[in-house]
Each structure stands twice: as structure tokens, then as C-alpha cells.
Amino acid sequence: MSFFAHSPDDLVDRALAGFARAHAGSVSYTADPGYLSAVDPAPGRVVGLVSGGGSGHEPMHAGFVGRGMLDAACPGRIFASPHNRQVYEASRAVAKSGGVLHIVKNYTGDRINFGIAAERLQHDGIACERVLVDDDVATDSEDIAVGRRGTGATVIVEKLLGAAADEGRSLTELAALGKRIVDASRSIAIASAAQTAPGTGRPAFELPSGAIEYGVGIHGERSGRIRDDAEIDALVSDMTDALVSALDLGSGSRVIAMVNGLGATIPMELYGVFDRLATLLDQYGVILERQVVGSLVTALDMRGFSLSLTRTDDELTRLWDAPAHTAAWTATTRTGEDAR
């Protein structure tokens, strides 16, 4: 047994029940059909924010339910989309007078199930819009029909839209803002070892000793690019180059940066990566306006990390600085200028 659980089958259910007990002042857990909702949402909201996806990425999404971020999160099984009934019931529970906004990562199952839920909500007379997060530059290819995957920048989208929702913005305004944030965000991830599959206790894939999977997905999707040169400065340099190029960042551009651990990478390593990233951005003349460092979007126990950049402006920086109180955000992040 590689996971400390009664069995792989009840790992998610027990974890959700325990999370809700541990953070009872912030979230409520509805076991059937399975969603978490905020106990004390901001009173000024006219639109509810709902996100979700497969379990195994904790603290995303459950850890970001609360004032200043999400109204509800719908966790599926490990690396599997939530059922459309979960999304529908959660959305009905937290919808406000102006409707509900779904924040969806670009995966086929998530798109289908959130789409079915949205149709059911519209049938009930509840207005619903969607923000589709597709930030992964490793899958930015015309050969990939579904487009870029949704990965680390999802948390940045949730933070910024949460602050905007707290201001009482309409569904149309939030959907437009969400698209603008997504268009301004890109991510890339690497791993030196795959996650352990709970059912088998074995790695999802094997890498040669000293090799790196460059462009790995948050479900352990292979990129087809294995690098033997695992020298960290060169890796971070190439990752930063890819993000700067994808966002067409020039001297004077302003960004929010996230260095994210994928599950088995320790804080000491992540802060070392951040230092290298900040140095490279300085060399580009890119202004690192805000940052977050921590394991926020994990892939079970994958040994790796991701980098995300979001092009920012006065409005987005102000929204980033707005207070948020969730189980994970206040416990693991620093959102102001303290790392500069």
C-alpha cells in the first residue's frame, strides 16, 4: 500500500469529509452528489463562482472555496471529471440573483459535464456562463484538436475572478474578465518522476535516471520530450523563455508569477526556482509585480513543478491584492510584494 488510506476506492470520499471537518468554519460538504460550498460568501456577490475537476490536485479546487475566491467546488474521482449532477446541484446551491459562472479547465470530460450542467441550469431559468482555462504551452499545437490543457493558471483565474465577484460585478462582466485573464496566462510543467497510481502503487510512467519529462500534464500526461540535461538553471531558463514568448512579453511588461509544486517537490526547491525565475524576468526587463510560491495545483505525488505567468495591469493587480479567506489561500500563499 503506497497511500495511507483504507482503500483506493474511498480515498477521495474520506478526504473530502475530513477536509470539511477540518475547515468547518469555511466550507460545507454535501456528500450526495458531492460538492463543497462556502459557509460565509461575500454578501456583495450577485454571481456565484463554481469550479471543479478531478481529485488529486489538492488544494485545488476545494482549498480555494471561501470568501474572495470560489462559492463551490465539485471534485471528481482521482483525475476524473465531476459528474454533471455534481456541477448542477452545486451551481443551484450557490447561484445568486445574477446567475453562476463556471471556471472550467480545458479537458474533454470537464467541458462535457459542465456543459450539460449549464444546459440544465438554463432550463431552470438560472443564467450561466463559462470561462475556459487553457494555459498550457506544451499543448499549444495545431496537431492537438482540443487545444491547450488547463493547468496551473486556473488558480490565478479563480483568485482574480473571486475578487471581481466580491465587487458585485455581473455575469457578463465576469465572463469577459475571465477570458481576458485566460488570454493573458500561460503555464508549463516538468517532472523528474511520475505520480504514483493509487490503485496499483506504481509510477504512472517511467523515466531514465537523471531524465526530465519536459511539458508534462497535471494528470501525468506524457509530453514526448525527455531531456537528459536536468541542470535546473537551464530548465528554468527554457521554461521562462517559452512563457515570455507565448505571452509576447517585452521590456516593461508586468506579470503575476506562480511557481507551483506538483506534489513531491519541497518548498526549498520551489523558492530556489522562484529566485531563478525572478532573475530571468529582470534580464528580460519584465516587471515581476506579484507572485505566489507553493504547491497549489498538484498531481498526487508527482516530483516536479510548473511555472505560470499572467500579464497584469492596474486592475488585475488590485484584484490580486484583494483579501481572500479560504483554507488553502491564507495558509500557503504570499500575494503582495514581500518576495521582491
Side-chain angles (χ1 to χ4, degrees):
M1 183 179 69
S2 58
F3 284 83
F4 293 106
H6 175 68
S7 77
D9 296 331
D10 70 359
L11 180 59
V12 172
D13 294 332
R14 288 197 176 188
L16 291 171
F19 179 84
R21 285 186 179 221
H23 303 287
S26 300
V27 300
S28 174
Y29 177 45
T30 301
D32 183 16
Y35 64 86
L36 295 128
S37 53
V39 170
D40 183 32
R45 287 195 178 190
V46 297
V47 174
L49 299 186
V50 177
S51 192
S55 295
H57 303 304
E58 291 76 23
M60 189 181 77
H61 295 276
F64 303 119
V65 173
R67 186 172 292 205
M69 293 190 77
L70 299 173
D71 291 287
C74 308
R77 311 316 290 174
I78 293 175
F79 292 175
S81 169
H83 191 276
N84 67 78
R85 179 175 167 238
Q86 293 176 259
V87 181
Y88 170 69
E89 295 289 355
S91 299
R92 280 185 57 90
V94 303
K96 314 296 182 188
S97 60
V100 63
L101 181 69
H102 290 164
I103 302 171
V104 185
K105 299 187 297 302
N106 188 28
Y107 296 98
T108 300
D110 289 353
R111 293 176 65 166
I112 290 172
N113 284 304
F114 274 87
I116 293 170
E119 291 179 1
R120 296 179 67 186
L121 292 166
Q122 297 283 7
H123 184 266
D124 291 346
I126 298 173
C128 181
E129 296 283 353
R130 181 185 74 178
V131 171
L132 186 68
V133 183
D134 58 349
D135 57 309
D136 181 22
V137 300
T139 46
D140 193 352
S141 169
E142 294 181 358
D143 296 332
I144 301 175
V146 297
R148 292 184 300 268
R149 295 178 295 223
T151 60
T154 308
V155 173
I156 297 174
V157 173
E158 291 173 352
K159 173 63 184 73
L160 296 173
L161 285 181
D166 283 356
E167 295 179 348
R169 298 197 198 187
S170 70
L171 182 59
T172 300
E173 290 170 328
L174 290 171
L177 176 63
K179 184 179 186 307
R180 180 159 74 89
I181 298 165
V182 170
D183 289 345
S185 301
R186 293 293 184 271
S187 302
I188 189 166
I190 65 171
S192 61
Q195 77 279 4
T196 305
T200 66
R202 297 175 182 153
F205 59 83
E206 298 284 352
L207 283 172
S209 177
I212 291 289
E213 186 81 15
Y214 186 92
V216 69
I218 60 172
H219 306 109
E221 301 97 333
R222 303 297 298 271
S223 66
R225 294 186 62 188
I226 296 177
R227 290 182 47 160
D228 295 323
D229 56 326
E231 201 281 314
I232 188 62
D233 284 358
L235 288 169
V236 176
S237 179
D238 289 348
M239 295 168 77
T240 305
D241 289 349
L243 298 179
V244 168
S245 176
L247 291 173
D248 194 24
L249 299 174
S251 181
S253 298
R254 303 153 62 188
V255 297
I256 296 167
M258 181 170 79
V259 176
N260 170 65
L262 292 175
T265 312
I266 65 174
M268 186 184 301
E269 295 171 286
L270 296 179
Y271 281 108
V273 169
F274 172 72
D275 183 65
R276 177 62 177 161
L277 171 64
T279 298
L280 291 166
L281 292 176
D282 283 343
Q283 292 173 3
Y284 273 109
V286 174
I287 300 167
L288 178 59
E289 195 147 305
R290 296 293 186 269
Q291 63 284 316
V292 55
V293 180
S295 294
L296 306 176
V297 184
T298 63
L300 292 173
D301 59 344
M302 183 182 286
R303 177 119 180 84
F305 66 89
S306 65
L307 302 181
S308 299
L309 294 180
T310 297
R311 194 169 50 243
T312 192
D313 54 28
D314 289 346
E315 178 190 19
L316 296 187
T317 298
R318 180 180 59 77
L319 293 173
W320 183 261
D321 288 342
H325 302 284
T326 78
W329 192 255
T330 55
T332 63
T333 62
R334 295 291 182 270
T335 61
E337 299 182 358
D338 50 332
R340 291 169 57 190

